[in-house]
Amino acid sequence: MNCLIVYAHPNPKSFNAAVLKTVTDNLSATHTVQLIDLYADHFDPVLRFDDDHKRRDLTSDPATKRYRDLVTWADQFIFIFPIWWSGMPAMMKGFIDRVFVAGFAYHNTNTGLKGHLNGKAWIITTHNTPAFITPFAQDYGKVLKGQILKSCGIRPVKISQLTGIEKNSDQERQKKLAMIAQTAKTI
Ligand code: FAD
């Protein structure tokens, strides 16, 4: 399978970096894996269009061509990011805004969006909110799953929510990494 990992965390020594390493170390060697590390790439997350630079031309924006090519190539997406203010970091949201553009990832119909993309996805989020509150929390990766990926044709989408990360003991965090390793092996 062609696995595309999209990763957003500014600190290469973070717990998210440990999640990324755990995933890459445990994916089957039969897969071809590509990584988009948005901070390492110095990705500009700000979507811009105006009268001179039309929104419809974003489908051929040379600045994002590499990312569109990878998105088309992938049949397994893995998104890894911390929850900030209940949702994706701006870096990840900006990646979606600039790469999953109309005409490329979807088009509008009278009954909603028609997705152009293929493949399945696994979203891994980390956050401080404890596990018993998470099912009732707003967003926490659910918008990426339901309103973005599924609308663009990517399904099924699995979410692994790693809860209470900063308050966890080291042992609890290691247990979570072991769980991620197990799931990565099944991809
Ligand atoms: P880090 O801070 O890098 O690490 C967390 C702990 O894990 C540290 O003790 C670190 O030493 C340890 N660690 C690092 N590597 C390993 C390893 N290999 N093995 C074991 N332990 C390790 N949380 C919410 O729940 N809801 C919110 O709305 C929310 N909003 C936020 C908004 C902002 C702007 C910010 C900055 C944080 C917010 N948070 C929120 C908290 C955020 O989700 C957590 O800080 C984040 O998920 C923790 O992941 P990290 O990779 O940054 O962890």
Side-chain angles (χ1 to χ4, degrees):
M1 251 187 325
N2 292 339
C3 295
L4 177 62
I5 303 174
V6 187
Y7 169 74
H9 197 290
N11 182 358
K13 291 188 178 155
S14 64
F15 183 72
N16 270 258
V19 172
L20 171 64
K21 183 170 184 327
T22 302
V23 169
T24 52
D25 285 354
N26 286 283
L27 286 172
S28 162
T30 60
H31 300 320
T32 308
V33 181
Q34 293 275 356
L35 169 66
I36 298 175
D37 180 337
L38 292 168
Y39 281 92
D41 278 9
H42 301 288
F43 183 79
D44 173 5
V46 181
L47 173 64
R48 296 180 177 86
F49 55 86
D50 56 26
D51 284 355
D52 297 325
H53 304 89
K54 305 277 188 208
R55 189 180 160 201
R56 62 173 173 266
D57 295 332
L58 294 169
T59 53
S60 55
D61 181 355
T64 48
K65 180 178 185 311
R66 175 179 159 249
Y67 301 115
R68 285 193 305 279
D69 288 349
L70 284 170
V71 166
T72 306
W73 165 85
D75 36 46
Q76 170 73 59
F77 295 82
I78 304 174
F79 292 86
I80 303 171
F81 57 90
I83 292 296
W84 288 351
W85 294 111
S86 300
M88 288 175 261
M91 194 60 119
M92 185 64 83
K93 178 62 166 48
F95 175 79
I96 300 292
D97 288 346
R98 292 191 63 208
V99 177
F100 283 50
V101 292
F104 168 68
Y106 69 92
H107 70 271
N108 285 294
T109 74
N110 290 338
T111 52
L113 303 188
K114 171 83 179 115
H116 296 181
L117 303 179
N118 295 301
K120 45 191 182 155
W122 179 24
I123 300 170
I124 307 169
T125 61
T126 66
H127 46 91
N128 285 335
T129 308
F132 71 93
I133 293 177
T134 303
F136 312 103
Q138 299 289 319
D139 194 347
Y140 281 71
K142 289 179 261 183
V143 168
L144 179 61
K145 174 178 174 167
Q147 275 76 53
I148 300 171
L149 298 179
K150 285 187 172 175
S151 298
C152 291
I154 297 171
R155 61 184 74 194
V157 182
K158 172 185 170 57
I159 299 196
S160 298
Q161 295 174 310
L162 306 185
T163 59
I165 286 304
E166 287 179 33
K167 289 205 173 73
N168 280 173
S169 65
D170 195 48
Q171 202 182 10
E172 286 168 319
R173 284 190 291 263
Q174 294 302 337
K175 228 167 129 183
K176 283 172 182 163
L177 291 175
M179 188 190 78
I180 292 297
Q182 270 315 107
T183 306
K185 285 187 178 126
T186 67
I187 296 282

